[in-house]
Amino acid sequence: MTLRATLVSLAVMVALGCSTVAGPKPGAPPHHRVGGFANVNPTVHPASAWVRMRFFVARIFSTTFAPKTASFPVYANDGRALRENPGEPTVTWVGHATLLIQLDGVNVLTDPHWSARASPVSFAGPRRVMPPGLRFEDLPPVHVVVISHDHYDHLDVDTVKRLAAAHRPRFLVPLGLKAWFADLGIGDVEELDWWGERSVRGLTFTCVPAQHFSGRTPWDRNRRLWSGWAVAGRERRFYFAGDSAYFDGFKEIGARLGPFDLAAIPIGAYLPPVIMKGSHTSPEEALAAFADVRGRHFVPIHWGTFDLAEEPFDEPPRLLRDEARRLKLGPDRVWMLRHGETRRW
């Protein structure tokens, strides 16, 4: 089979793959289903199978044979200050949804990704257009890793295997992912349902709802849960949205666990809306979510790293700045971090 035929087959399977998730699960929370999970109050109906197929075929071909390029400002970060940090709260944007959070002497990574592609194969799919803002070798000791869901741009096999071997962190994951890690030989994993809590090294981690979906193959759609994470320290609180459409759950998260000193919310992969609106936030929606969770400082994520959607690479930050000005949110509130940049919070 030729490469083109292989890519077409892969795209069709992804677009048309059937879910094994059935109806509500008796006696379980509303988002639990027989065989998996579901969004409780979806605000957008999924696109038709034909529309999804056309989109995924086009995306796989464009990212493989005509990938877009980007060049954004980079902050030169050798990690020394992070490794020598005596305990100050910091945030470092590595790229996409990967952040290094330092809080109360604990080093936390979100959805770590250091690989060249966000794809199940090495020869096709979205390639990284900006290098990681911090080299893997320059990381401080990583104590905890939080995973929001199993999509390839958020859960990378090579990266989690490297972390497990080099740092031996505790992995906190949504329901259904512990077995996936076990298949890789990684055992220090705790899986949580929405609103479940764990205390690790003095920090409280809460798995919180998100409006999204899961799946790494055409046959496992929504079999594993998706989530965001709230992290509470002695004096500060951090919110990581992971990947989510705009939904009422943001207000509940803010009411139950906020206010948050720092909120990281995605701003990219929103076009075309017929595909993306049910699972991603636009820059304008991200700032609405920021208000809902009662955030003090906003860090945009999920942009400028992988070619995942149809909007130009430079559009999400531009729209974010425009909306921030409209809402009278200055740069002291909305932090447009460069790849590799660290700020104290």
Side-chain angles (χ1 to χ4, degrees):
M1 183 180 288
T2 66
L3 176 59
R4 284 180 177 270
T6 300
L7 294 177
V8 170
S9 297
L10 177 62
V12 171
M13 285 192 300
V14 170
L16 303 182
C18 296
S19 171
T20 58
V21 175
K25 191 172 183 178
H31 61 285
H32 286 230
R33 295 291 189 272
V34 175
F37 304 93
N39 292 308
V40 178
N41 294 305
T43 56
V44 178
H45 292 293
S48 69
W50 171 245
V51 170
R52 295 200 309 272
M53 185 186 72
R54 289 178 58 193
F55 174 78
F56 282 110
V57 168
R59 293 304 304 153
I60 287 179
F61 269 86
S62 65
T63 56
T64 302
F65 298 109
K68 290 186 287 189
T69 60
S71 179
F72 293 105
V74 176
Y75 183 89
N77 192 337
D78 64 4
R80 180 176 179 180
L82 300 170
R83 295 190 298 273
E84 296 177 354
N85 184 3
E88 294 294 321
T90 72
V91 55
T92 303
W93 187 43
V94 177
H96 201 54
T98 304
L99 297 167
L100 171 67
I101 300 295
Q102 297 186 300
L103 180 59
D104 296 347
V106 183
N107 298 321
V108 180
L109 277 177
T110 67
D111 288 356
H113 203 304
W114 265 264
S115 291
R117 288 190 190 271
S119 172
V121 294
S122 61
F123 57 85
R127 179 183 289 277
R128 183 182 288 273
V129 298
M130 292 291 294
L134 183 69
R135 294 194 316 150
F136 187 91
E137 295 79 8
D138 291 333
L139 282 167
V142 177
H143 305 118
V144 183
V145 174
V146 296
I147 301 294
S148 65
H149 64 298
D150 66 5
H151 287 163
Y152 286 92
D153 56 321
H154 293 258
L155 180 57
D156 179 64
V157 171
D158 289 343
T159 299
V160 297
K161 288 170 69 174
R162 290 179 71 186
L163 283 167
H167 294 266
R168 300 187 181 277
R170 173 74 52 82
F171 289 89
L172 299 179
V173 303
L175 291 179
L177 270 171
K178 186 171 183 176
W180 184 90
F181 277 86
D183 288 342
L184 298 180
I186 301 173
D188 194 357
V189 180
E190 293 192 61
E191 60 179 21
L192 285 77
D193 198 355
W194 290 347
W195 305 115
E197 292 184 359
R198 287 293 185 276
S199 178
V200 184
R201 290 178 173 259
L203 301 182
T204 299
F205 294 81
T206 305
C207 180
V208 296
Q211 187 95 347
H212 202 59
F213 66 103
S214 66
R216 292 175 73 84
T217 74
W219 307 279
D220 66 351
R221 186 178 176 93
N222 293 344
R223 293 191 64 181
R224 308 179 188 99
L225 187 59
W226 48 95
S227 74
W229 291 91
V231 184
R234 291 190 295 268
E235 296 179 352
R236 288 175 172 79
R237 298 184 181 195
F238 165 65
Y239 169 62
F240 172 64
D243 219 350
S244 180
Y246 183 75
F247 74 131
D248 289 342
F250 289 124
K251 291 185 177 69
E252 185 177 9
I253 292 165
R256 293 176 64 160
L257 300 173
F260 293 97
D261 300 278
L262 183 69
I265 302 172
I267 66 167
Y270 50 83
L271 293 182
V274 66
I275 297 290
M276 298 298 187
K277 190 171 181 60
S279 56
H280 295 105
T281 45
S282 67
E284 296 85 354
E285 291 169 331
L287 284 176
F290 175 60
D292 289 347
V293 300
R294 299 192 292 156
R296 180 184 177 193
H297 299 298
F298 178 93
V299 170
I301 58 172
H302 207 270
W303 70 278
T305 309
F306 292 109
D307 183 8
L308 300 175
E310 297 300 328
E311 73 267 8
F313 274 122
D314 61 351
E315 184 177 275
R318 176 168 52 81
L319 294 183
L320 183 74
R321 291 188 181 99
D322 290 346
E323 182 68 0
R325 281 194 291 268
R326 189 186 74 81
L327 296 173
K328 295 182 171 54
L329 295 172
D332 59 321
R333 299 283 306 281
V334 177
W335 293 354
M336 187 62 66
L337 299 183
R338 293 167 286 177
H339 287 79
E341 184 174 353
T342 298
R343 287 201 192 182
R344 186 183 182 279
W345 58 284

Coordinates of all heavy atoms in Angstrom, one line a residue, residues 92-123:
T92 N 6.3 27.9 33.7 CA 7.1 27.9 32.5 C 6.3 27.2 31.4 O 5.9 26.1 31.6 CB 8.5 27.1 32.7 OG1 9.2 27.7 33.8 CG2 9.3 27.2 31.5
W93 N 6.2 27.9 30.3 CA 5.5 27.3 29.1 C 6.5 26.6 28.3 O 7.4 27.3 27.6 CB 4.8 28.4 28.3 CG 3.9 27.8 27.3 CD1 3.1 26.8 27.3 CD2 3.7 28.3 25.9 NE1 2.4 26.5 26.1 CE2 2.8 27.5 25.3 CE3 4.3 29.4 25.2 CZ2 2.4 27.7 23.9 CZ3 3.9 29.6 23.9 CH2 3.0 28.8 23.3
V94 N 6.4 25.3 28.2 CA 7.3 24.5 27.3 C 6.8 24.5 25.9 O 7.6 24.5 25.0 CB 7.4 23.1 27.9 CG1 8.3 22.2 26.9 CG2 8.0 23.1 29.3
G95 N 5.5 24.6 25.8 CA 4.8 24.6 24.5 C 3.5 23.8 24.5 O 3.4 22.9 25.3
H96 N 2.6 24.2 23.6 CA 1.3 23.5 23.6 C 0.6 23.5 25.0 O 0.4 24.5 25.6 CB 1.4 22.1 23.0 CG 0.1 21.6 22.4 ND1 -0.6 22.3 21.5 CD2 -0.6 20.5 22.6 CE1 -1.7 21.7 21.2 NE2 -1.8 20.6 21.9
A97 N 0.3 22.3 25.5 CA -0.3 22.2 26.8 C 0.6 21.8 27.9 O 0.2 21.5 29.0 CB -1.5 21.2 26.8
T98 N 1.9 21.9 27.6 CA 3.0 21.5 28.6 C 3.4 22.7 29.3 O 4.1 23.6 28.8 CB 4.1 20.8 27.9 OG1 3.7 19.7 27.1 CG2 5.2 20.3 28.9
L99 N 3.2 22.7 30.6 CA 3.6 23.7 31.6 C 4.4 23.0 32.7 O 4.1 21.9 33.1 CB 2.5 24.4 32.2 CG 1.6 25.2 31.3 CD1 0.3 25.6 32.0 CD2 2.3 26.5 30.8
L100 N 5.5 23.7 33.1 CA 6.1 23.3 34.4 C 5.7 24.2 35.5 O 5.9 25.5 35.4 CB 7.7 23.3 34.2 CG 8.4 23.1 35.5 CD1 8.3 21.7 36.1 CD2 9.9 23.5 35.3
I101 N 5.0 23.7 36.5 CA 4.5 24.5 37.6 C 5.4 24.2 38.8 O 5.5 23.0 39.2 CB 3.0 24.2 37.9 CG1 2.2 24.5 36.7 CG2 2.6 24.9 39.1 CD1 2.1 25.9 36.3
Q102 N 5.9 25.2 39.4 CA 6.6 25.0 40.7 C 5.8 25.7 41.8 O 5.5 26.9 41.7 CB 8.0 25.7 40.6 CG 8.9 25.0 39.6 CD 10.3 25.5 39.6 OE1 10.6 26.7 39.4 NE2 11.3 24.7 39.8
L103 N 5.4 24.9 42.8 CA 4.6 25.4 43.9 C 4.9 24.7 45.2 O 4.9 23.5 45.2 CB 3.1 25.1 43.5 CG 2.1 25.6 44.5 CD1 2.1 27.1 44.8 CD2 0.7 25.2 44.1
D104 N 5.3 25.5 46.2 CA 5.6 25.0 47.5 C 6.7 23.9 47.4 O 6.7 22.9 48.1 CB 4.4 24.4 48.2 CG 3.3 25.4 48.5 OD1 3.6 26.6 48.4 OD2 2.2 25.0 48.8
G105 N 7.7 24.1 46.5 CA 8.8 23.2 46.4 C 8.5 21.9 45.6 O 9.4 21.0 45.5
V106 N 7.3 21.9 45.0 CA 7.0 20.7 44.2 C 7.0 21.1 42.7 O 6.4 22.1 42.4 CB 5.6 20.2 44.6 CG1 5.2 18.9 43.9 CG2 5.5 19.9 46.1
N107 N 7.5 20.2 41.9 CA 7.6 20.5 40.5 C 6.6 19.6 39.8 O 6.6 18.4 39.9 CB 9.0 20.1 39.9 CG 10.1 21.0 40.5 OD1 9.8 22.2 40.7 ND2 11.2 20.5 40.8
V108 N 5.6 20.2 39.0 CA 4.5 19.6 38.4 C 4.6 19.8 36.9 O 4.7 21.0 36.5 CB 3.2 20.1 39.0 CG1 2.0 19.4 38.3 CG2 3.1 19.9 40.5
L109 N 4.4 18.8 36.1 CA 4.3 19.0 34.7 C 2.8 18.7 34.2 O 2.2 17.7 34.7 CB 5.2 18.0 33.9 CG 6.6 18.4 33.7 CD1 7.4 17.2 33.0 CD2 6.8 19.7 32.9
T110 N 2.3 19.5 33.3 CA 1.0 19.2 32.7 C 1.2 18.7 31.3 O 2.0 19.2 30.5 CB 0.2 20.5 32.7 OG1 0.7 21.4 31.7 CG2 0.1 21.2 34.1
D111 N 0.4 17.6 31.0 CA 0.4 17.1 29.6 C 1.8 17.1 28.9 O 1.9 17.8 27.9 CB -0.7 17.8 28.8 CG -2.1 17.4 29.2 OD1 -2.2 16.5 30.1 OD2 -3.0 17.9 28.7
P112 N 2.8 16.5 29.4 CA 4.1 16.7 28.9 C 4.3 16.1 27.5 O 3.9 15.0 27.2 CB 5.0 15.9 29.9 CG 4.1 14.9 30.5 CD 2.7 15.5 30.5
H113 N 5.0 16.9 26.6 CA 5.2 16.5 25.2 C 6.5 17.1 24.7 O 6.6 18.3 24.5 CB 4.0 17.0 24.4 CG 3.8 16.2 23.1 ND1 4.8 16.0 22.2 CD2 2.7 15.5 22.6 CE1 4.4 15.3 21.2 NE2 3.1 14.9 21.4
W114 N 7.5 16.2 24.5 CA 8.8 16.6 24.0 C 9.1 16.0 22.6 O 10.1 16.1 22.1 CB 9.9 16.3 25.0 CG 10.2 17.4 25.9 CD1 11.3 18.3 25.7 CD2 9.6 17.8 27.1 NE1 11.3 19.2 26.7 CE2 10.3 18.9 27.6 CE3 8.5 17.3 27.8 CZ2 9.9 19.5 28.8 CZ3 8.2 17.9 29.0 CH2 8.9 19.0 29.5
S115 N 8.1 15.3 22.0 CA 8.4 14.6 20.8 C 8.1 15.5 19.6 O 7.6 16.6 19.7 CB 7.5 13.4 20.6 OG 7.9 12.4 21.6
A116 N 8.6 15.0 18.4 CA 8.5 15.8 17.2 C 7.1 15.9 16.5 O 6.8 16.8 15.8 CB 9.5 15.3 16.1
R117 N 6.3 14.9 16.8 CA 5.0 14.8 16.2 C 3.9 14.5 17.3 O 4.2 13.8 18.2 CB 4.8 13.8 15.1 CG 5.5 14.2 13.8 CD 5.1 13.2 12.7 NE 5.9 13.3 11.5 CZ 5.6 14.1 10.5 NH1 4.5 14.9 10.5 NH2 6.4 14.2 9.4
A118 N 2.7 15.0 17.1 CA 1.6 14.6 17.9 C 0.8 13.6 17.1 O -0.2 14.0 16.4 CB 0.7 15.8 18.3
S119 N 1.2 12.4 17.0 CA 0.7 11.4 16.0 C 1.0 10.0 16.5 O 2.0 9.8 17.2 CB 1.3 11.7 14.7 OG 1.0 10.7 13.7
P120 N 0.2 9.0 16.1 CA 0.5 7.6 16.4 C 1.6 7.1 15.5 O 2.1 6.0 15.8 CB -0.9 6.9 16.1 CG -1.5 7.8 15.1 CD -1.2 9.2 15.4
V121 N 2.0 7.8 14.5 CA 3.1 7.3 13.6 C 4.1 8.4 13.5 O 3.9 9.6 13.6 CB 2.5 6.9 12.2 CG1 1.6 5.7 12.3 CG2 1.8 8.1 11.6
S122 N 5.3 8.0 13.2 CA 6.5 8.9 13.1 C 6.6 9.6 11.8 O 7.3 10.6 11.7 CB 7.8 8.1 13.4 OG 8.0 7.1 12.4
F123 N 5.9 9.1 10.8 CA 6.0 9.7 9.4 C 4.9 10.6 8.9 O 4.9 11.1 7.8 CB 6.2 8.5 8.4 CG 5.0 7.6 8.4 CD1 3.9 7.8 7.6 CD2 5.0 6.4 9.2 CE1 2.8 6.9 7.6 CE2 4.0 5.5 9.2 CZ 2.8 5.8 8.4

